[in-house]
Amino acid sequence: GQNIDQPTEMTATEGAIVQINCTYQTSGFNGLFWYQQHAGEAPTFLSYNVLDGLEEKGRFSSFLSRSKGYSYLLLKELQMKDSASYLCAVLDSNYQLIWGAGTKLIIKP
Amino acid sequence: ETGVTQTPRHLVMGMTNKKSLKCEQHLGHNAMYWYKQSAKKPLELMFVYNFKEQTENNSVPSRFSPECPNSSHLFLHLHTLQPEDSALYLCASSQDSSGGAETQYFGPGTRLLVL
């Protein structure tokens, strides 16, 4: 079957750095998405990786290793507004999005 | 970003009621999606429409009935729901769904409670 694994919950301190991991086993791979979802709000697009390596976008970076079936989202200089759920999703060989259950990130002052 | 809107935002209904959820996208996209989001579970894809034609029905019970009158509007008609159908229902749109890595843009969802 197809599976996306990510931690259920993480806690970090304001100003610090946090890494949210995502591992996947899917039938084929056509890219990996990260979305941010604040409580009661729409998921919003953060990043898309299809090639190995690190993509940086301001305070957020996303890394992909296709051979390991692994990605992470790196958040630097954490702010209170970064408290949200972070969803990992993989496009399989049929271009179907397979979603993880999300990681709830709690930022403490 | 208010590219995708959903109404109502909250809905409480009894098991014998009939109600409809509405989604509208202002992004000029051709594909629209309904998802169910339950606590601590992955998003569950329910239906996909591409250019107004239904291209995906993920074995969704018939008590959920989608309607897509045009590329900008999507409805989900609900009747005789069960308490386990209580969840957040998210609508999304993308340029199209015929293949390719299209980014999906989501609405804020309708929080549904079935009593």
Side-chain angles (χ1 to χ4, degrees), chain A residues 1-102:
Chain A
Q2 309 206 87
N3 196 49
I4 309 285
D5 283 314
Q6 47 180 136
T8 303
E9 187 173 298
M10 298 182 70
T11 302
T13 305
E14 192 177 14
I17 298 174
V18 72
Q19 178 175 308
I20 302 174
N21 296 325
C22 172
T23 57
Y24 61 89
Q25 300 93 39
T26 56
S27 55
F29 178 84
N30 280 301
L32 184 145
F33 290 85
W34 283 98
Y35 279 80
Q36 180 191 59
Q37 185 178 23
H38 285 100
E41 296 184 16
T44 55
F45 169 77
L46 287 178
S47 66
Y48 170 71
N49 293 66
V50 67
L51 299 177
D52 289 350
L54 185 69
E55 301 235 353
E56 299 187 62
K57 204 184 281 187
R59 294 189 298 114
F60 291 12
S61 303
S62 55
F63 171 84
L64 175 68
S65 168
R66 289 171 296 172
S67 63
K68 295 182 179 177
Y70 168 69
S71 172
Y72 66 73
L73 183 68
L74 191 72
L75 290 73
K76 302 177 185 176
E77 301 167 19
L78 285 171
Q79 301 175 10
M80 297 303 292
K81 67 178 182 179
D82 297 329
S83 292
S85 288
Y86 292 86
L87 311 179
C88 173
V90 171
L91 264 179
D92 70 7
S93 57
N94 294 319
Y95 290 95
Q96 299 271 8
L97 262 181
I98 312 300
W99 293 86

Side-chain angles (χ1 to χ4, degrees), chain B residues 7-8 11 19-23 34 74-76 78 89 110:
Chain B
T7 54
L11 179 62
K19 296 286 184 183
S20 295
L21 310 185
K22 179 183 175 182
C23 175
W34 277 118
L74 185 64
F75 295 89
L76 188 62
L78 316 172
Y89 288 85
T110 295

Side-chain angles (χ1 to χ4, degrees), chain B residues 2-115:
Chain B
T2 56
V4 182
T5 58
Q6 289 187 243
T7 54
R9 293 294 310 276
H10 301 274
L11 179 62
V12 180
M13 59 187 288
M15 288 190 283
T16 57
N17 291 158
K18 288 185 181 181
K19 296 286 184 183
S20 295
L21 310 185
K22 179 183 175 182
C23 175
E24 184 173 358
Q25 58 95 1
H26 310 274
L27 300 170
H29 289 164
N30 296 304
M32 296 187 78
Y33 310 76
W34 277 118
Y35 285 92
K36 177 182 179 182
Q37 187 176 35
S38 303
K40 299 185 179 179
K41 288 187 178 180
L43 286 176
E44 297 174 45
L45 180 65
M46 300 174 72
F47 302 103
V48 181
Y49 279 81
N50 202 33
F51 293 91
K52 299 190 297 175
E53 298 298 320
Q54 187 179 121
T55 58
E56 189 82 31
N57 176 337
N58 257 3
S59 303
V60 180
S62 59
R63 57 187 185 268
F64 295 92
S65 174
E67 178 189 359
C68 188
N70 55 61
S71 293
S72 300
H73 293 86
L74 185 64
F75 295 89
L76 188 62
H77 304 299
L78 316 172
H79 63 98
T80 59
L81 294 191
Q82 303 299 310
E84 59 264 29
D85 296 323
S86 298
L88 182 68
Y89 288 85
L90 289 165
C91 173
S93 71
S94 67
Q95 190 56 51
D96 70 52
S97 67
S98 55
E102 301 287 347
T103 299
Q104 292 183 21
Y105 295 85
F106 286 83
T110 295
R111 175 70 62 185
L112 174 66
L113 177 62
V114 182
L115 300 176

